[in-house]
């Protein structure tokens, strides 16, 4: 998900993304712009309505690539974004010397290994192919899950600093391929299994019938994987932006999210200071 040459394409991609903003209208200078990557989901219409009831005009900018929303936020092309978890944000800041901050929790999702070829992990053959995200921030959790499922062996044992370089390929049962997360669902037609983000799993029709492994998202150490609203550091105490982050937990909005097909998230309401402390701790590790 992180490629310097691809970042050069952001101005063009952003211009295309603007064309898909909510209702296709021109930008209202008084509106708060929120970058998302799942604008087609119905709950955003409910969210926008609830914001309007509080006197806040919201415009959405839909991005189709995980590379786009954070640079757009840093460049003030949007005011908030909602597409990532704390660990992803911390990794972005460390790699780009940026200072974006989480200002509100949304939910956490169980990590799911999907397959269209097998009904259980035990059916995956020796040398089987598994795809996962090519972003380092999204690789630790899958690696630990694969180790727990007996599909890979990690040199020195599993830890929250495990990387692809720690995989003992000779001792592992499967081979790993990293690809853009937007392509993991499509890869299921040609590989044995894949980790697919919930954002892309639902539109691809993936559900319990394709699920062969799920981790426990309530483990305390998984706080770093709570999804968030992010803002620029200078705006972290902006009351309007804070209100918009909290609005995700309005009963009508939460009900709309839960009603969407295949939704398996667990809502989280961690205090922004708690999320920011977690992000700061992770950034320090990533900067070493």
């Amino acid at each position: 998900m992180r490629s310097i040459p691809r970042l050069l394409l952001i101005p063009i991609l952003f211009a295309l993304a603007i064309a898909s903003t909510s209702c296709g209208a021109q930008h209202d200078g008084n509106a708060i712009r929120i970058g998302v990557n799942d604008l087609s989901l119905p709950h955003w219409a409910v969210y926008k309505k609830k914001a309007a009831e509080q006197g806040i005009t919201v415009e959405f900018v839909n991005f189709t690539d995980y590379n786009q929303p954070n640079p757009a936020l840093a460049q003030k092309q949007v005011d908030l974004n909602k597409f990532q978890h704390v660990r992803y944000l911390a990794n972005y800041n460390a790699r780009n010397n940026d200072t974006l901050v989480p200002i509100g929790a949304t939910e956490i999702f169980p990590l799911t290994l999907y397959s269209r070829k097998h009904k259980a992990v035990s059916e995956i053959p020796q040398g089987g192919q598994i795809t996962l995200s090519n972003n380092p921030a999204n690789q630790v959790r899958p690696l630990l899950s694969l180790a727990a499922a007996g599909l890979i062996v990690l040199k020195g044992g599993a830890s929250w600093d495990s990387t692809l370089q720690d995989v003992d390929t000779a001792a592992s049962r499967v081979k790993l391929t990293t690809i853009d997360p937007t392509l993991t669902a499509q890869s299921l037609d040609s590989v044995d299994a894949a980790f697919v983000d919930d954002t892309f799993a639902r539109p691809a029709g993936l559900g319990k019938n394709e699920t062969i492994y799920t981790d426990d998202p309530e483990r305390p150490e998984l706080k770093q994987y709570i999804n968030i609203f992010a803002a620029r550091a200078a705006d972290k105490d902006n009351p309007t932006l804070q209100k918009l982050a909290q609005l995700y937990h309005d009963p009508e909005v939460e009900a709309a999210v839960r009603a969407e097909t295949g939704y398996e998230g667990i809502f989280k309401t961690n205090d922004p200071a708690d999320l920011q402390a977690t992000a700061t701790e992770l950034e320090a590790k990533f900067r070493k």
Side-chain angles (χ1 to χ4, degrees):
M1 291 181 217
R2 225 176 286 300
S3 169
I4 295 300
R6 291 181 66 190
L7 290 179
L8 299 178
L9 298 177
I10 286 174
I12 296 173
L13 292 170
F14 184 80
L16 293 175
I18 293 297
S20 65
T21 53
S22 180
C23 301
Q26 291 189 343
H27 176 50
D28 178 349
N30 295 318
I32 301 298
R33 283 192 150 182
I34 303 177
V36 299
N37 66 345
D38 56 358
L39 186 56
S40 62
L41 295 179
H43 71 263
W44 287 122
V46 178
Y47 178 95
K48 183 173 183 178
K49 177 179 72 74
K50 298 300 292 186
E53 290 174 1
Q54 297 190 31
I56 305 172
T57 301
V58 168
E59 288 182 3
F60 295 109
V61 177
N62 195 57
F63 295 97
T64 58
D65 186 319
Y66 275 14
N67 282 313
Q68 302 174 36
N70 280 336
L73 178 58
Q75 296 163 15
K76 300 184 178 182
Q77 295 167 332
V78 296
D79 305 295
L80 286 174
N81 68 38
K82 190 271 184 189
F83 79 102
Q84 65 193 320
H85 49 56
V86 177
R87 187 181 178 94
Y88 184 100
L89 178 66
N91 192 48
Y92 167 83
N93 280 342
R95 286 172 171 262
N96 294 277
N97 197 30
D98 214 331
T99 57
L100 304 182
V101 296
I103 66 165
T106 59
E107 64 248 301
I108 189 170
F109 294 93
L111 181 69
T112 304
L113 183 65
Y114 294 99
S115 177
R116 288 197 170 115
K117 295 183 178 180
H118 310 292
K119 295 297 183 183
V121 166
S122 60
E123 295 180 9
I124 297 177
Q126 183 71 33
Q129 299 282 337
I130 291 181
T131 52
L132 64 156
S133 171
N134 61 3
N135 183 268
N138 286 339
Q139 289 173 357
V140 178
R141 196 174 170 192
L143 290 176
L144 297 185
S145 293
L146 290 170
L151 293 173
I152 65 170
V153 174
L154 291 167
K155 301 170 186 175
S159 76
W160 288 101
D161 294 320
S162 294
T163 68
L164 284 170
Q165 288 67 42
D166 296 320
V167 176
D168 186 335
T169 54
S172 297
R173 196 165 106 206
V174 298
K175 297 180 180 179
L176 307 181
T177 301
T178 61
I179 61 176
D180 190 289
T182 62
L183 302 176
T184 50
Q186 299 173 33
S187 74
L188 285 170
D189 293 330
S190 58
V191 301
D192 291 280
F195 288 101
V196 184
D197 289 354
D198 183 74
T199 299
F200 309 115
R202 286 184 282 165
L206 299 175
K208 292 184 178 180
N209 289 339
E210 293 78 25
T211 298
I212 61 172
Y213 180 87
T214 303
D215 73 357
D216 178 9
E218 291 284 25
R219 295 204 315 264
E221 65 268 27
L222 293 187
K223 181 168 61 175
Q224 59 190 303
Y225 291 102
I226 293 175
N227 287 308
I228 55 168
F229 278 92
R232 293 179 291 276
D235 297 329
K236 68 183 180 67
D237 297 320
N238 181 299
T240 300
L241 299 185
Q242 290 179 337
K243 185 179 294 184
L244 286 172
Q246 295 165 4
L247 186 63
Y248 195 80
H249 296 287
D250 178 275
E252 287 186 41
V253 176
E254 283 198 0
V257 173
R258 286 195 182 95
E260 290 166 355
T261 303
Y263 181 80
E264 295 183 352
I266 299 170
F267 287 101
K268 292 291 187 179
T269 57
N270 296 57
D271 183 86
D274 179 39
L275 299 171
Q276 290 161 18
T278 300
T280 298
E281 180 181 352
L282 286 168
E283 282 181 42
K285 292 182 179 179
F286 289 139
R287 292 179 190 276
K288 289 181 180 179

